Amino acid sequence: MDLLTLLFEKKLEKALHFPPALKASWLAEGVLQLLPQESKADTLILSVGIHGNETAPVELLIQLVSQLALGSLPLQHNLLLIFGNVPAMRENKRYIDNDLNRMFGGRHQNFPSGNESQRAMELETVVRQFFREPAVRASTRRWHLDLHTAIRGSCHEQFALLPFQAREYASDFLQWLEGSDIDALVFHNAAGGTFSHFTSEHFNVESCTMEVGKARPFGQNDLSRFNNITLALRDVVAGSFLIKREKPIMKRYRVIDAIIKQEDSFRLHIPEDTKNFTALPDGFEIASQPNQFWKITSPANFILFPNAHVAIGQRAGLLLVQLT
């Protein structure tokens, strides 16, 4: 039986056995803590499936877990592996009740009790528990990679979003992202309810949301398209930091404004299939609702995550400026 089926059937915990050099603990369903017996100075969190229908990262992490269990991939970090929204994965849905990736940092209290609000609270608890481990608490390098796939097509197929933080972004983290051969990097301009923002804000972690492709059902992913991400993940888990960029220079963007849907009559004035990072003409009215509208004002000409079908109060798009 494959590991993904075991995860869905709640049998993965009993099926996996790790080398004696690793201390394995299951902190919750789909949450595995691996601590090398020999103390390490670095800490890494890898999370996938925060949106249940974003399947390629789940399949990539399943492969990585298998390699760690077989001992074919050495572990040089205190490691927390998270399969985020397992009930939504089982149903191939983005979420069951509400968007999990808007609920972190205590924001789950603002949502009705349901699958995602309970999971957000549970994931916050296990991350706090993880950082109470003596080896983790003493770690000097802390990274969190939260892997996703985008709902729509993108002018940059693979990109990462860095949460807003007052402190400088670590140069080694930015260098690793560039070496991973993603196409673009986006810097947020405000706090948010994402998982990566939670770890950055509360635990001084170098965090990012990595969008590694387009959302497809389980079994329909061409994992060869993610070879660069696979190699980069193996590189960071093994602590080698040897990957080098092969693609053209990585583009960089900064969020200038968020389009927030506040009315049922909200409209986006672009086609449904508009790709992420599409450049729009100066002065174009991109969205409107009663008593409010958004126009493209140069140099913030790029749209990211346009989606008119989000819930009231949620983000319907981000306006970006390209950095030089």
Side-chain angles (χ1 to χ4, degrees):
M1 190 176 293
D2 68 275
L3 295 186
L4 185 61
T5 301
L6 292 172
L7 172 67
F8 289 169
E9 295 182 357
K10 300 185 178 182
K11 298 176 181 177
L12 190 59
E13 180 176 344
K14 293 182 179 179
L16 281 176
H17 303 282
F18 292 89
L22 301 180
K23 179 183 177 183
S25 306
W26 290 91
L27 306 185
E29 181 184 12
V31 182
L32 173 61
Q33 174 181 284
L34 291 174
L35 300 178
Q37 297 288 1
E38 182 182 336
S39 182
K40 302 296 180 183
D42 294 344
T43 288
L44 176 64
I45 302 173
L46 295 177
S47 54
V48 300
I50 295 296
H51 294 134
N53 64 339
E54 298 177 5
T55 59
V58 178
E59 295 177 7
L60 293 178
L61 191 58
I62 284 286
Q63 288 184 354
L64 194 145
V65 169
S66 176
Q67 292 162 358
L68 287 166
L70 292 171
S72 60
L73 177 62
L75 177 60
Q76 296 298 322
H77 301 279
N78 309 301
L79 181 62
L80 188 66
L81 302 175
I82 299 174
F83 295 92
N85 196 341
V86 182
M89 289 183 214
R90 292 189 184 103
E91 297 190 28
N92 193 33
K93 292 182 177 179
R94 184 172 175 83
Y95 51 78
I96 303 297
D97 299 306
N98 290 286
D99 192 335
L100 176 57
N101 212 32
R102 301 294 179 266
M103 295 188 178
F104 291 98
R107 293 171 179 81
H108 51 81
Q109 300 172 47
N110 302 327
F111 289 81
S113 180
N115 174 69
E116 282 78 21
S117 59
Q118 293 172 19
R119 184 59 164 173
M121 183 167 55
E122 182 175 52
L123 291 181
E124 288 184 4
T125 298
V126 297
V127 169
R128 289 191 181 97
Q129 179 180 341
F130 178 60
F131 279 102
R132 284 197 292 266
E133 288 283 347
V136 178
R137 194 169 60 244
S139 60
T140 53
R141 178 190 278 145
R142 300 176 172 188
W143 289 10
H144 175 201
L145 306 173
D146 184 31
L147 274 66
H148 290 248
T149 57
I151 298 173
R152 64 184 59 244
S154 181
C155 298
H156 302 307
E157 184 180 19
Q158 298 180 350
F159 57 98
L161 300 100
L162 295 176
F164 173 78
Q165 59 188 44
R167 67 186 188 275
E168 292 289 328
Y169 297 97
S171 58
D172 59 349
F173 188 60
L174 297 178
Q175 185 177 355
W176 181 85
L177 286 169
E178 187 166 5
S180 72
D181 263 351
I182 59 172
D183 303 302
L185 195 58
V186 178
F187 295 84
H188 269 293
N189 68 338
T194 63
F195 197 16
S196 60
H197 186 91
F198 169 70
T199 54
S200 169
E201 180 181 15
H202 292 273
F203 303 99
N204 288 325
V205 174
E206 298 301 322
S207 305
C208 76
T209 302
M210 292 188 76
E211 304 279 354
V212 299
K214 196 171 186 298
R216 303 183 188 280
F218 283 110
Q220 295 185 21
N221 294 298
D222 178 5
L223 295 185
S224 67
R225 296 183 64 87
F226 309 106
N227 282 342
N228 61 312
I229 300 298
T230 301
L231 292 173
L233 292 177
R234 287 177 55 88
D235 176 84
V236 71
V237 167
S240 57
F241 302 102
L242 295 176
I243 54 171
K244 300 295 183 183
R245 187 168 187 84
E246 296 182 0
K247 289 183 180 179
I249 189 169
M250 180 174 64
K251 302 290 181 63
R252 298 189 179 207
Y253 300 82
R254 186 177 302 280
V255 176
I256 297 298
D257 196 9
I259 301 171
I260 306 299
K261 178 179 178 179
Q262 299 290 8
E263 303 282 349
D264 287 331
S265 57
F266 173 89
R267 295 290 182 270
L268 275 174
H269 306 306
I270 53 176
E272 287 274 348
D273 60 353
T274 298
K275 292 182 177 181
N276 288 322
F277 299 97
T278 293
L280 299 168
D282 201 24
F284 176 73
E285 185 177 294
I286 185 172
S288 62
Q289 56 194 5
N291 302 315
Q292 190 176 18
F293 62 89
W294 288 264
K295 281 191 174 182
I296 299 299
T297 303
S298 184
N301 293 93
F302 299 88
I303 182 68
L304 181 62
F305 301 139
N307 184 3
H309 306 296
V310 297
I312 299 294
Q314 295 300 312
R315 180 192 72 202
L318 295 171
L319 297 177
L320 312 179
V321 59
Q322 185 171 350
L323 305 178
T324 56

